[in-house]
Amino acid sequence: MAVFVSASDESAGKTDRDHFFFCGWIAPEEDWSQFFTPAWQERVLDPPPAIPFLHMTEIRSPKWRSQYGLSREQAEARVDKAFDVIDQMGSLFPISISVDAGHVLDKFIEAKVVASSGGKRKFEPDFICFLAYAYVVLSYVNTMHPAAEKVDFVVESKEVITKYIQEFHSSLSNALNYIGRPELIRLVGGLIPGGKERLPLQAADLLCWHTARYHAKTMDAADGRRYAKIAHRAGVKVDLTELVAKFAAALLRPQGKQKARTRRAKLKK
């Protein structure tokens, strides 16, 4: 039975009111390990001068490039090679979830997410986007690969974000029961934090970075040329902005004769 792996990343924009993106690739674990990883290592990272990883923020930084003896032209060539590898990996299925972050903050201005650990935080876009992303991933695998055993979720290890993503992931079973999709629970695998050196996360970074800039219309000609290689690939792209009002109405509605007040979205294991 096949194990699938989702590698994802997020882009929050320049301010907390910009469009928020949660994007990633889903593919069989064997395709990641046996085909993608060696091709990426050999063609993207190892050619001299070798680099430890490829993330768009760093590859665009003159200081970072100088650290590894990489010219701007060589850096652009590495990004081209990265898109070539992704383009040739037909099994990589892209998923993009986005939302107007300012709209979420306005609708849930008084709401708090209460984690299983007891901690509280603002109801922010990453909560909605991760749950929507996970739901799309599990639905896709359940429909297209019914013999699959599970889906593991690989996310970049970041101090605060990883902690909350772990909490969100722990709530998936309850969330799937709540929306009437208990058949997807069997597919919920582990949450695997990884560093920038984890190769599938580098592919997720490229997808998220270019998707966010395509939406913001801030791509240059080279960015657009590369993005065109994957823009028309079969995948799922969802903007949750129009659904935020429904989420807010469901979570924050008054009960009985009481006036509307803050309702807590609880994350339970």
Side-chain angles (χ1 to χ4, degrees):
M1 298 177 71
V3 173
F4 281 73
V5 173
S6 155
S8 58
D9 197 11
E10 61 182 52
S11 176
K14 293 182 178 179
T15 76
D16 62 0
R17 302 191 65 83
D18 289 336
H19 232 72
F20 181 92
F21 289 85
F22 200 104
C23 306
W25 302 97
I26 177 76
E29 190 282 331
E30 288 186 352
D31 287 3
W32 284 115
S33 61
Q34 296 183 19
F35 302 104
F36 172 84
T37 295
W40 190 276
Q41 188 71 46
E42 178 183 350
R43 300 172 61 184
V44 179
L45 304 183
D46 286 348
I51 56 177
F53 58 82
L54 191 157
H55 275 234
M56 289 305 299
T57 298
E58 284 81 2
I59 204 75
R60 290 293 176 92
S61 165
K63 182 178 179 181
W64 189 89
R65 294 198 303 264
S66 176
Q67 180 180 352
Y68 295 100
L70 200 67
S71 70
R72 181 174 180 177
E73 292 73 20
Q74 289 172 318
E76 292 293 314
R78 297 301 175 92
V79 180
D80 283 337
K81 290 293 185 182
F83 269 89
D84 287 343
V85 172
I86 291 172
D87 187 39
Q88 292 166 14
M89 286 291 299
S91 62
L92 294 185
F93 187 83
I95 294 172
S96 170
I97 307 295
S98 62
V99 72
D100 183 321
H103 193 48
V104 173
L105 295 176
D106 291 343
K107 287 293 182 181
F108 291 95
I109 191 169
E110 296 180 352
K112 300 289 183 183
V113 174
V114 182
S116 58
S117 61
K120 301 176 185 178
R121 66 179 295 229
K122 292 191 301 182
F123 195 103
E124 295 185 5
D126 55 354
F127 173 67
I128 292 177
C129 286
F130 175 76
L131 293 181
Y133 176 85
Y135 172 73
V136 171
V137 166
L138 297 173
S139 296
Y140 164 73
V141 173
N142 186 61
T143 300
M144 302 303 296
H145 305 278
E149 178 184 356
K150 65 174 181 176
V151 180
D152 288 331
F153 292 85
V154 180
V155 298
E156 186 174 338
S157 181
K158 302 174 184 177
E159 289 185 11
V160 176
I161 292 174
T162 303
K163 173 184 175 182
Y164 288 119
I165 291 294
Q166 288 171 334
E167 295 285 0
F168 302 158
H169 180 268
S170 72
S171 74
L172 278 177
S173 293
N174 286 341
L176 292 169
N177 264 325
Y178 182 78
I179 65 174
R181 296 300 304 273
E183 74 277 10
L184 299 181
I185 295 175
R186 69 176 182 84
L187 290 172
V188 178
L191 183 76
I192 306 171
K196 291 180 182 294
E197 293 78 13
R198 198 172 187 108
L199 305 191
L201 290 177
Q202 297 174 35
D205 175 83
L206 261 67
L207 175 64
C208 203
W209 191 93
H210 285 81
T211 300
R213 277 150 188 80
Y214 175 79
H215 180 273
K217 296 180 172 59
T218 57
M219 282 185 167
D220 60 24
D223 295 333
R225 171 177 52 78
R226 296 178 187 120
Y227 187 64
K229 289 187 175 183
I230 60 173
H232 302 294
R233 179 179 292 214
V236 176
K237 189 174 183 180
V238 180
D239 190 309
L240 300 175
T241 302
E242 293 184 2
L243 298 176
V244 169
K246 293 182 179 180
F247 292 153
L251 292 171
L252 307 178
R253 64 179 179 273
Q255 295 180 354
K257 296 181 180 181
Q258 296 180 351
K259 293 183 179 180
R261 62 182 180 178
T262 302
R263 296 291 187 264
R264 295 175 177 174
K266 294 187 177 180
L267 302 176
K268 300 179 180 179
K269 289 185 177 180

